[in-house]
Amino acid sequence: QRMGNTELIDGMLRDGLTCAKDNIAMGLSADAMANEYDIKRKDQDDFAVQSYQRAQLAYSRNAFDQELVHIEIPSKKGPPIIVSQDEGCWKLNEQKMRHLNPAFNVDGSITAGNSSQLSDGAAAIIVCSEETIRELNVKPLARILSYADAEQSQDKWSTSPSIAI
């Protein structure tokens, strides 16, 4: 289009933070679930801090070394940048996190600090048959013995996994 108005859509907001069915911020649903189950802001912040600390400890013990693939990012100003770990877990400022404003509702408890980071979610897994394992001569890390799924109204997405257990 050469002339006229156009619409710019924030892909991260639309694809990552908005419910595709109801077109609302998923954080609004998370706030509602925290309220319904009486999960206090302090408990959420405590859990987030513990999660950061566990990730930091695991990295310091090289616990993820066999599970991570290093990524090379070309650089115009020198050698490529190597990303070899999640940088987010090292950015914890606990005092600042505990004083962040709610991100979705004025009286909510979900904040940018006690929510998943925007970089969250990069993972891959290979599932294959026993025959393929033998053919490739690889050692499996896990075996699927059973599975389940569950569904409920979209606004209760944060508790859906518990129904499947």
Side-chain angles (χ1 to χ4, degrees):
Q1 170 176 330
R2 295 184 74 179
M3 295 181 69
N5 296 330
T6 187
E7 180 181 8
L8 180 64
I9 297 172
D10 183 331
M12 179 182 61
L13 181 62
R14 185 190 66 191
D15 296 340
L17 302 173
T18 303
C19 171
K21 182 179 178 191
D22 296 332
N23 198 33
I24 62 166
M26 291 172 66
L28 291 172
S29 299
D31 260 339
M33 289 290 92
N35 189 47
E36 181 176 332
Y37 289 98
D38 197 31
I39 303 171
K40 302 294 184 209
R41 162 75 184 264
K42 181 185 181 315
D43 295 331
Q44 293 173 61
D45 287 348
D46 289 346
F47 187 86
V49 168
Q50 182 183 51
S51 180
Y52 274 97
Q53 291 171 339
R54 286 178 173 174
Q56 291 169 355
L57 181 63
Y59 274 116
S60 68
R61 292 181 175 172
N62 301 316
F64 300 130
D65 284 359
Q66 298 299 311
E67 301 176 32
L68 297 175
V69 176
H70 297 193
I71 304 295
E72 275 192 24
I73 302 170
S75 174
K76 293 179 181 179
K77 298 181 180 180
I81 298 166
I82 308 293
V83 179
S84 60
Q85 62 178 283
D86 182 348
E87 299 161 337
C89 70
W90 302 106
K91 296 180 180 178
L92 171 64
N93 179 331
E94 183 177 348
Q95 294 309 311
K96 182 177 178 181
M97 185 201 76
R98 292 186 182 279
H99 292 93
L100 291 172
N101 291 326
F104 301 97
N105 287 311
V106 174
D107 59 347
S109 60
I110 306 297
T111 70
N114 63 26
S115 300
S116 296
Q117 298 175 23
L118 295 177
S119 62
D120 185 33
I125 188 168
I126 299 172
V127 178
C128 59
S129 67
E130 288 186 45
E131 179 183 344
T132 302
I133 290 170
R134 284 191 298 275
E135 286 175 13
L136 297 175
N137 194 29
V138 294
K139 181 181 175 185
L141 298 176
R143 183 175 179 187
I144 299 172
L145 301 176
S146 179
Y147 68 92
D149 61 4
E151 180 182 2
Q152 60 183 341
S153 70
Q154 190 65 26
D155 62 324
K156 296 187 183 295
W157 61 268
S158 63
T159 59
S160 293
S162 65
I163 296 171
I165 297 173

